Amino acid sequence: MMNLFRRYPLPVIVIAQLFGTSLWFSVNGVWLSFSRELVLTESDLGLMTLSVQAGFISGTLLLAVTGLADRFGASVMFAVASVVGALVNAGFILAAGVFPLALVLRFLTGLCLAGIYPLGMKMVIAWTPRYAGAALAWLVGMLTLGTALPHLMRGATLGMPWQWPLAGASVLALIGAGLIWRLGDGPHLPKSAGPVPLRKGLVALGMPRFRAVAGGYMGHMWELYAFWMLTPLLVGRELDRLALPDSLVPWLAFAIIALGSLGCIGGGRLSRTRGSEWVARVALTTSGVFCLIYPLISGLPSGFLLLALCCWGVAVVADSPQFSALAAANAPREFVGSSLAVMNAIGFGLTLPAIWLTSGLWQSLGVWVVWILVPGPILGLWSLAASRRPA
């Protein structure tokens, strides 16, 4: 079994990533029944999502400051983070009615996710360095599918308590931990000895090419998680216009977010011939156009708008693995893990104001809140374009 795992490491890593990242939006997937039972609002949903993001940012900064991303085995850290995340998520089920404690537990879930996503990227590079763009596309595709998975679990358990999908996410995370523990670390990255101070993780930001790629990634992140948070609300708006039951929301939200995995995988294949930067630029341009025009076409038939959301879901995340591949290729090789951790921390930091603004203003602005996301793609494209100008 061990030889089989090592012969096909990429499928093992991406499946473990899928299972581990199901913890990320586990509450969003059960939001309709969860909010009714506990009498919560969309602003409360925003706070819970923000807590996870804040935990993730804190975790990635911790990785960068301590150098844990480069000092210890990525597989061990991934497995431990998945197990602890599963336990914390299970604890949230018991404490969901105690709102301050619930936010703390969501924060801790995000902290654990920092040991899953960046370390998963490092493992992919360590096992399959030759085609990093295509391999990372599978990894981020599974992150996307993992984000959508709670919506699917909720759709499949309609009529059952909201606790069931949350418990299912914890079980999946435990399975993911077992898979990575059996796989172990890849052979293609050097192990760093001794502490790695934060300034080493920041070294890459002093390199113009890495800084341009990081700028593109940050613009992309301003849009991505806010869009995923808004997806059930945008879907619910169209179902209301069609006079259809809101029991369809989790199924449609799952479809829209999960289609992003196809965008990642398709973009990964294109990156082998057109290059990662080309794929990132096209995807970021496409999602930026959707940000700009969606409120303007919000009066069109709901069926057309749901189709537009599906197309947006494909484009919105297709650039993410390509930015990660470009960043890994342009970072100092001995500090790849810390450099990616720093870039992730800054990028996810930008998701906080984006989520806070869109969730807080949804009730007053409705679909027009989407325009808050427009600056992200614009600034990301500007950063990529600036890197191509002569010095």
Side-chain angles (χ1 to χ4, degrees):
M1 179 64 73
M2 181 67 73
N3 289 336
L4 181 64
F5 274 32
R6 290 179 176 267
R7 185 178 300 175
Y8 303 104
L10 184 58
V12 174
I13 297 169
V14 298
I15 290 171
Q17 179 90 344
L18 166 65
F19 290 171
T21 52
S22 66
L23 301 173
W24 211 312
F25 273 55
S26 56
V27 173
N28 302 62
V30 300
W31 181 251
L32 288 176
S33 58
F34 180 77
S35 60
R36 288 196 192 105
E37 182 173 324
L38 299 180
V39 193
L40 301 174
T41 67
E42 284 80 5
S43 294
D44 297 321
L45 170 62
L47 285 174
M48 290 194 176
T49 307
L50 285 172
S51 297
V52 179
Q53 302 299 90
F56 182 85
I57 294 162
S58 300
T60 52
L61 286 174
L62 180 65
L63 290 177
V65 170
T66 61
L68 289 173
D70 293 304
R71 291 172 59 196
F72 296 99
S75 61
V76 173
M77 293 185 64
F78 188 112
V80 170
S82 295
V83 170
V84 176
L87 296 175
V88 171
N89 188 65
F92 175 84
I93 298 174
L94 302 176
V98 185
F99 202 69
L101 178 58
L103 292 180
V104 171
L105 290 171
R106 293 308 291 163
F107 176 88
L108 294 175
T109 301
L111 199 67
C112 293
L113 286 164
I116 297 174
Y117 180 40
L119 274 298
M121 285 195 293
K122 184 177 180 180
M123 290 188 68
V124 164
I125 296 167
W127 280 102
T128 58
R130 187 176 177 186
Y131 299 111
L136 286 172
W138 278 95
L139 188 76
V140 180
M142 290 306 104
L143 165 68
T144 305
L145 201 56
T147 299
L149 200 56
H151 296 284
L152 176 63
M153 289 191 289
R154 182 55 192 162
T157 57
L158 284 174
M160 299 180 184
W162 54 264
Q163 291 91 339
W164 286 39
L166 289 176
S170 289
V171 172
L172 290 177
L174 292 174
I175 296 172
L179 291 174
I180 291 297
W181 184 268
R182 293 295 301 274
L183 176 64
D185 293 321
H188 296 293
L189 279 183
K191 290 182 173 62
S192 176
V196 181
L198 178 59
R199 59 184 172 82
K200 295 296 185 182
L202 294 172
V203 164
L205 291 176
M207 304 166 67
R209 180 62 179 155
F210 182 91
R211 191 166 58 244
V213 171
Y217 175 78
M218 292 168 197
H220 149 78
M221 290 299 289
W222 176 267
E223 176 195 10
L224 176 62
Y225 277 83
F227 172 75
W228 280 347
M229 190 277 302
L230 286 173
T231 296
L233 305 179
L234 293 169
V235 168
R237 174 185 182 268
E238 302 313 318
L239 292 179
D240 285 343
R241 293 177 65 205
L242 292 169
L244 292 175
D246 58 14
S247 60
L248 294 175
V249 169
W251 293 103
L252 290 172
F254 166 77
I256 290 166
I257 297 173
L259 282 170
S261 62
L262 300 181
C264 290
I265 295 166
R269 292 181 65 87
L270 280 173
S271 73
R272 299 177 71 167
T273 55
R274 302 303 298 269
S276 290
E277 186 173 342
W278 183 89
V279 174
R281 185 180 295 107
V282 169
L284 193 56
T285 301
T286 303
S287 61
V289 169
F290 276 111
C291 285
L292 186 62
I293 69 171
Y294 192 85
L296 300 174
I297 63 174
S298 60
L300 294 179
S302 293
F304 177 82
L305 292 176
L306 289 172
L307 180 61
L309 287 173
C310 289
C311 295
W312 193 355
V314 172
V316 74
V317 71
D319 47 357
S320 192
Q322 306 313 318
F323 281 125
S324 296
L326 288 168
N330 288 280
R333 186 166 178 78
E334 65 273 24
F335 302 123
V336 168
S338 295
S339 299
L340 290 176
V342 168
M343 189 181 80
N344 274 286
I346 298 172
F348 277 86
L350 290 173
T351 68
L352 297 180
I355 291 172
W356 178 72
L357 287 170
T358 50
S359 62
L361 295 174
W362 170 261
Q363 289 183 326
S364 58
L365 296 181
V367 71
W368 293 94
V369 80
V370 168
W371 271 1
I372 293 173
L373 308 182
V374 172
I378 291 176
L379 294 176
L381 290 168
W382 175 82
S383 181
L384 283 178
S387 71
R388 299 173 66 88
R389 298 179 192 137

